[in-house]
Amino acid sequence: MVWLSIKLIYFYRIIAPQRLRNSCLFEPTCSEYAILALKKYGFFRGWFLSFKRISSCKQPNGGIDYP
């Protein structure tokens, strides 16, 4: 399931508008964070951390954040 999730994230990167992909406030981007979290923690915890990160992607949050 981790492999499929990572493939879906790569597909999202291809079809998402450039404006949306460049609007991330964090380093690494939210999609890269999701890939790193999935590889490190597995499917359930990885997606939990990814959704938590995406929900905090608004001002004044931002900066460097690795899983």
Side-chain angles (χ1 to χ4, degrees):
M1 289 182 15
V2 171
W3 178 81
L4 180 61
S5 296
I6 292 172
K7 291 297 180 189
L8 289 173
I9 292 169
Y10 284 133
F11 181 70
Y12 156 77
R13 286 179 170 182
I14 292 170
I15 64 167
Q18 187 72 20
R19 189 183 87 236
L20 179 63
R21 288 184 286 148
N22 289 336
S23 66
C24 192
L25 303 173
F26 288 98
E27 178 65 35
T29 63
C30 293
S31 61
E32 184 64 30
Y33 181 92
I35 292 170
L36 292 171
L38 286 165
K39 287 180 179 179
K40 185 173 183 177
Y41 295 109
F43 183 78
F44 294 107
R45 179 130 172 94
W47 274 117
F48 172 75
L49 292 172
S50 300
F51 286 129
K52 186 176 169 184
R53 163 80 177 269
I54 291 168
S55 68
S56 69
C57 194
K58 55 186 170 272
Q59 293 291 345
N61 299 330
I64 299 173
D65 181 28
Y66 285 92

